């Protein structure tokens, strides 16, 4: 029996016997010849089956012709045949002349989604939606991006950790928490790996990263929020300021996007009509107050109940940076203490300002990063100031009682990076299986 060959590898083979398997994409059942477009996880190929006729020219109902006539879109089949290179064939310049065709699984004739189906309907039938080459490519890109991130970190002597997602106390605040029964007590799903990344600094790991699930009980229905997403987190010791963290992140992103462009740039151009832009380093940096002034001069006044930038402000400052610096990224720095967690270090010159930043990519925030407060007395005071109960954070404060180096890090949403990199309008498009306030299936 001929071993199965991936369709993408067929062009490199010489003419001769091959075996391929995949989903039926289209069938053209003509009188004298049948054509089937077969797609597997790597590409598509044309199968051809000339029909047999008797002496009077009447088409004979033989195999595999009869089976081909009954094929439905999406059915999974395995075939053997003769590979032939022919530049006249539009689909890759090759075709397979059929000898045998075996139906492994027959699909229902009428599919529940179409090319023009809405996003909610497509999410209901996500496994079918992901058969579309454009959608499948997203997750090859995600794989390349994550691999490039890991390669950067490992090449720079980082340790990968896997932090628990079940917490005995709130991880950052009492807001946006999922609670669940845990034997005879209450547990919480982790909002971030923040505390455990910092524990690794007390343990002497020096530099760590963690790629894993994050949970937020946030009832938002925007195109960029989810209740469960993949967080890309890192923490490093012996820093002088948050500038060290920013420098590491810009190098990381440049390396990741360069890897995506090298491996998938042509496919992204073909399927998304996008030229992947590898960012130059360093990224522009703008203090938050200055950014708000620039945005106001562009005609948008940030009107919020807190001191943060709003989504339109993020879009406006990104447009300004694109026009001024020709860059898709910008660090907004010097965030006020009022909108930052208790563990962010405050400025020595101005205690109302934290040593923190947000990273904006094409008009949307993808990261919050900072230098952390490593002095336990200051840390406890800042937690109380934020209305947190020190008793509930006792285990966390213990990390700092036995010697903690100056450190900092960031958390970044993987899906947001993909969404913006591929110019998509909704996080759901680039999430394998989306979770939101009203979606727990499939």
């Amino acid at each position: 029996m001929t071993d199965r060959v991936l369709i993408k590898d067929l062009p490199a083979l010489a003419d001769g016997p091959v075996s391929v398997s995949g989903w039926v994409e289209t069938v053209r059942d003509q009188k004298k010849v049948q054509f089937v477009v077969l797609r597997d996880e790597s590409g598509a190929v044309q199968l051809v089956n000339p029909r047999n006729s008797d002496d009077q020219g009447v088409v004979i109902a033989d195999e595999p012709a009869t089976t081909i006539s009954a094929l439905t879109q999406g059915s999974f089949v395995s075939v053997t045949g003769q590979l032939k290179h022919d530049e006249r064939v539009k689909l890759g310049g090759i075709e397979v002349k059929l000898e045998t065709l075996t139906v492994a699984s027959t699909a229902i004739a009428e599919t529940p989604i179409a090319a023009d189906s809405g996003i909610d309907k497509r999410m209901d039938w996500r496994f079918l939606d992901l058969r579309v080459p454009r959608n499948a490519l997203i997750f090859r890109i995600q794989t390349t991006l994550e691999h490039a991130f890991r390669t950067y970190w490992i090449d720079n002597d980082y340790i990968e950790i896997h932090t628990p997602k079940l917490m005995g106390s709130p991880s950052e605040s009492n807001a946006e928490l999922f609670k669940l029964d845990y034997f005879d007590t209450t547990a919480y799903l982790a909002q971030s790996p923040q505390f455990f990344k910092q524990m690794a600094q007390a343990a002497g790991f020096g530099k760590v990263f963690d790629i894993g699930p994050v949970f937020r009980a946030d009832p938002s229905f925007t195109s960029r929020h989810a209740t469960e997403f993949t967080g890309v987190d890192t923490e490093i010791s012996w820093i002088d300021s948050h500038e060290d963290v920013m420098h590491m992140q810009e190098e990381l992103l440049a390396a990741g996007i360069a890897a995506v462009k090298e491996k998938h740039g042509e496919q992204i151009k073909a399927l998304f009509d996008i030229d992947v832009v590898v960012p130059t380093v360093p990224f522009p940096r703008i203090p938050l107050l200055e950014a708000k002034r620039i945005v106001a001069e562009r005609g948008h006044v940030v009107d919020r109940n807190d001191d943060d930038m709003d989504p339109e402000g993020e879009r406006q400052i990104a447009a300004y940076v694109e026009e001024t610096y020709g860059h898709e990224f910008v660090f907004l720095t010097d965030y006020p203490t009022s909108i930052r967690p208790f563990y962010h270090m405050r400025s020595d010159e101005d205690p109302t300002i934290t040593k923190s930043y947000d990273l904006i990519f094409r008009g949307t925030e993808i990261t919050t990063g900072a230098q952390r407060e490593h002095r336990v007395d200051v840390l406890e005071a800042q937690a109380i100031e934020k209305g947190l109960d020190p008793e509930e954070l006792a285990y966390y404060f213990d990390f700092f009682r036995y010697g903690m180096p100056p450190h900092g890090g960031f958390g970044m949403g993987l899906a947001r990076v993909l969404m913006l990199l591929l110019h998509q309008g909704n996080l759901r498009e680039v999430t394998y299986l989306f979770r939101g306030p009203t979606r727990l299936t499939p």
Side-chain angles (χ1 to χ4, degrees):
M1 180 179 177
T2 306
D3 291 335
R4 179 196 175 205
V5 178
L6 288 175
I7 289 171
K8 72 177 179 65
D9 296 330
L10 291 176
L13 299 180
D15 288 359
V18 292
S19 174
V20 293
S21 300
W23 289 267
V24 173
E25 191 164 276
T26 60
V27 177
R28 283 188 292 145
D29 195 2
Q30 300 176 0
K31 184 177 180 180
K32 293 186 177 181
V33 65
Q34 296 167 309
F35 296 97
V36 178
V37 173
L38 191 72
R39 182 174 296 280
D40 68 7
E41 62 268 34
S42 69
V45 67
Q46 176 176 280
L47 313 177
V48 58
N49 182 55
R51 303 291 298 266
N52 293 317
S53 303
D54 60 20
D55 295 339
Q56 285 72 45
V58 177
V59 174
I60 300 171
D62 57 3
E63 291 295 346
T66 301
T67 299
I68 291 171
S69 296
L71 285 177
T72 54
Q73 183 183 24
S75 292
F76 190 87
V77 302
S78 294
V79 305
T80 62
Q82 295 293 317
L83 174 67
K84 181 181 179 182
H85 290 72
D86 187 341
E87 61 184 17
R88 294 172 298 177
V89 179
K90 294 181 180 179
L91 189 58
I94 57 172
E95 64 183 11
V96 175
K97 183 180 179 182
L98 282 174
E99 293 175 349
T100 68
L101 184 148
T102 303
V103 179
S105 177
T106 301
I108 296 173
E110 214 165 300
T111 58
I113 58 172
D116 59 352
S117 294
I119 191 167
D120 285 325
K121 186 70 171 178
R122 290 192 289 110
M123 292 300 107
D124 290 339
W125 297 92
R126 186 60 163 159
F127 68 96
L128 295 176
D129 189 47
L130 291 174
R131 290 184 183 178
V132 177
R134 186 175 185 269
N135 296 339
L137 177 61
I138 292 169
F139 298 94
R140 294 190 180 276
I141 295 165
Q142 175 180 281
T143 301
T144 298
L145 188 63
E146 282 194 54
H147 179 70
F149 288 165
R150 281 193 168 91
T151 299
Y152 171 89
W153 280 320
I154 291 168
D155 286 349
N156 284 281
D157 202 29
Y158 283 64
I159 296 172
E160 182 170 10
I161 58 175
H162 299 292
T163 57
K165 307 312 170 190
L166 288 170
M167 307 279 287
S169 62
S171 53
E172 294 188 26
S173 71
N174 289 310
E176 299 183 353
L177 281 168
F178 285 113
K179 297 182 181 181
L180 66 155
D181 293 334
Y182 192 76
F183 300 102
D184 60 350
T185 187
T186 299
Y188 306 87
L189 293 180
Q191 293 170 299
S192 85
Q194 182 58 47
F195 289 179
F196 297 119
K197 290 190 302 174
Q198 292 185 267
M199 188 187 84
Q201 308 313 298
F205 282 20
K207 298 182 289 188
V208 301
F209 69 93
D210 181 12
I211 301 177
V214 177
F215 302 89
R216 300 280 169 87
D218 182 357
S220 295
F221 290 89
T222 74
S223 60
R224 60 180 189 167
H225 286 90
T227 54
E228 178 185 354
F229 59 91
T230 299
V232 178
D233 283 80
T234 184
E235 205 77 16
I236 53 177
S237 287
W238 307 113
I239 66 172
D240 294 322
S241 75
H242 56 300
E243 181 64 39
D244 296 319
V245 182
M246 294 159 66
H247 176 65
M248 178 263 288
Q249 186 173 13
E250 61 194 4
E251 284 193 342
L252 177 79
L253 281 164
I257 295 172
V260 168
K261 184 178 181 68
E262 180 180 357
K263 188 165 186 177
H264 307 289
E266 291 183 6
Q267 286 180 291
I268 293 172
K269 180 63 175 178
L271 296 179
F272 290 88
D273 195 24
I274 293 166
D275 292 308
V276 177
V277 177
V278 179
T280 57
V281 174
F283 297 176
R285 290 142 163 80
I286 303 176
L288 181 61
L289 284 180
E290 182 182 342
K292 287 185 175 181
R293 178 187 60 77
I294 292 169
V295 166
E297 290 176 353
R298 294 175 65 89
H300 175 70
V301 177
V302 177
D303 184 16
R304 292 178 60 110
N305 294 326
D306 58 25
D307 297 317
D308 208 351
M309 182 70 87
D310 64 7
E312 180 58 27
E314 291 175 351
R315 289 188 284 270
Q316 288 294 329
I317 198 63
Y320 166 82
V321 169
E322 176 68 34
E323 295 163 7
T324 307
Y325 302 103
H327 214 288
E328 293 186 320
F329 290 88
V330 58
F331 285 115
L332 300 185
T333 64
D334 300 344
Y335 274 74
T337 59
S338 61
I339 56 171
R340 287 312 206 202
F342 73 93
Y343 51 81
H344 281 197
M345 182 175 280
R346 299 179 182 183
S347 168
D348 297 328
E349 292 77 26
D350 183 353
T352 68
I353 298 297
T354 58
K355 296 182 178 181
S356 71
Y357 67 88
D358 275 2
L359 178 57
I360 311 299
F361 178 24
R362 299 191 60 249
T364 298
E365 178 259 311
I366 60 169
T367 292
T368 294
Q371 180 172 5
R372 320 304 186 185
E373 180 53 68
H374 61 279
R375 297 163 294 186
V376 67
D377 55 334
V378 178
L379 195 61
E380 288 179 322
Q382 290 180 181
I384 293 169
E385 182 185 313
K386 290 284 187 179
L388 300 176
D389 183 354
E391 290 298 320
E392 291 185 354
L393 294 166
Y395 81 93
Y396 172 68
F397 293 137
D398 282 346
F399 302 161
F400 300 82
R401 300 188 195 282
Y402 297 89
M404 174 70 85
H407 63 281
F410 68 79
M412 177 169 66
L414 178 63
R416 280 199 187 181
V417 176
L418 285 168
M419 177 181 74
L420 297 162
L421 181 63
L422 297 175
H423 297 205
Q424 296 301 288
N426 198 306
L427 203 69
R428 288 178 284 180
E429 298 284 6
V430 298
T431 303
Y432 179 63
L433 290 173
F434 176 77
R435 290 292 177 260
T438 60
R439 182 169 290 279
L440 280 171
T441 58

